Amino acid sequence: MRRILITLAILVVCIATVSATWIFRGRQISLFIDRFGTVETASARINSITYEGSGTGGILHINDLALGLNDKNGPAPNIGSTKDGQLALAAGGKVFAFGPPRSEAENLAAVLPAGDDAFIRIRRSVLSWPTPFDLNFMTGHSPSWKRNLYYQVRWQKQNGAKLEMLWRYEQYFYSGDGWASGFMTREGSTGLIRVDIHP
């Protein structure tokens, strides 16, 4: 009987430890697991790209998504026009031209060259984490779970030039409503997290 009680006590302590770790370190655990794999939820060919901003920061509109370039802790690409008038992104001393400008566009926008292979993929974390201590005093409606959403742009031109951009945001789960359709930023840990240009 004593052995059963000791085993039960050890089991209770283990469950309590795992639960506390999941509640207090769930975000970090989820980010660690995301390094090895995420779940793809959508993939679409890029049909339109528009830039709204002053050259640094601003918003990059890809299809119907608005993705921010304002994260101070991430890469800071510049967007503008090349010498031959193409909409382009510059980062790390390299330039990637999206394509010739669309003349009717109010903001900087590009016509995608026919031979370009350009896709945007939306992925999510494998592991969500509970948020029992998140309180919203304004509305009283707080998320009970969170997970990371990833927006990945992969663009390859006919000449072999490649661009990869990756954004990470947080998605909230509300009891009764499910996963929110939008995404949220968390200072210092979300937003544009990677820009790679390969000539």
Side-chain angles (χ1 to χ4, degrees), residues 2-184:
R2 185 175 176 183
R3 184 176 293 173
I4 293 172
L5 290 175
I6 291 171
T7 303
L8 187 60
I10 291 171
L11 184 62
V12 168
V13 169
C14 288
I15 291 171
T17 302
V18 169
S19 298
T21 302
W22 193 18
I23 290 170
F24 294 106
R25 294 286 179 210
R27 177 179 286 109
Q28 290 82 6
I29 294 168
S30 180
L31 285 171
F32 178 76
I33 293 172
D34 289 351
R35 293 180 186 177
F36 303 101
T38 53
V39 178
E40 186 171 304
T41 59
S43 178
R45 185 167 180 78
I46 296 174
N47 298 313
S48 65
I49 185 161
T50 306
Y51 173 66
E52 180 184 339
S54 60
T56 302
I59 299 172
L60 196 60
H61 296 272
I62 298 173
N63 294 347
D64 58 351
L65 292 171
L67 300 167
L69 301 172
N70 297 314
D71 186 24
K72 295 183 175 84
N73 297 315
N78 295 306
I79 296 187
S81 298
T82 62
K83 292 177 183 177
D84 58 353
Q86 294 193 61
L87 177 65
L89 178 142
K94 299 175 183 174
V95 176
F96 185 87
F98 293 115
R102 277 194 355 234
S103 57
E104 77 281 0
E106 187 175 308
N107 295 308
L108 286 174
V111 176
L112 274 67
D116 285 12
D117 188 22
F119 285 87
I120 184 160
R121 291 181 172 88
I122 303 172
R123 306 182 73 84
R124 66 167 176 81
S125 295
V126 173
L127 179 70
S128 306
W129 63 91
T131 57
F133 303 115
D134 276 15
L135 299 174
N136 186 330
F137 295 106
M138 298 291 285
T139 65
H141 196 52
S142 300
S144 53
W145 293 84
K146 293 181 183 178
R147 68 183 178 192
N148 290 310
L149 277 183
Y150 295 89
Y151 294 83
Q152 180 183 40
V153 168
R154 286 192 172 179
W155 195 313
Q156 182 166 351
K157 305 192 82 60
Q158 284 184 315
N159 65 5
K162 294 179 185 177
L163 169 70
E164 185 174 337
M165 300 179 77
L166 184 65
W167 286 262
R168 180 177 61 229
Y169 295 103
E170 287 184 355
Q171 186 180 30
Y172 293 178
F173 180 87
Y174 295 95
S175 299
D177 296 332
W179 290 103
S181 58
F183 49 76
M184 302 296 289

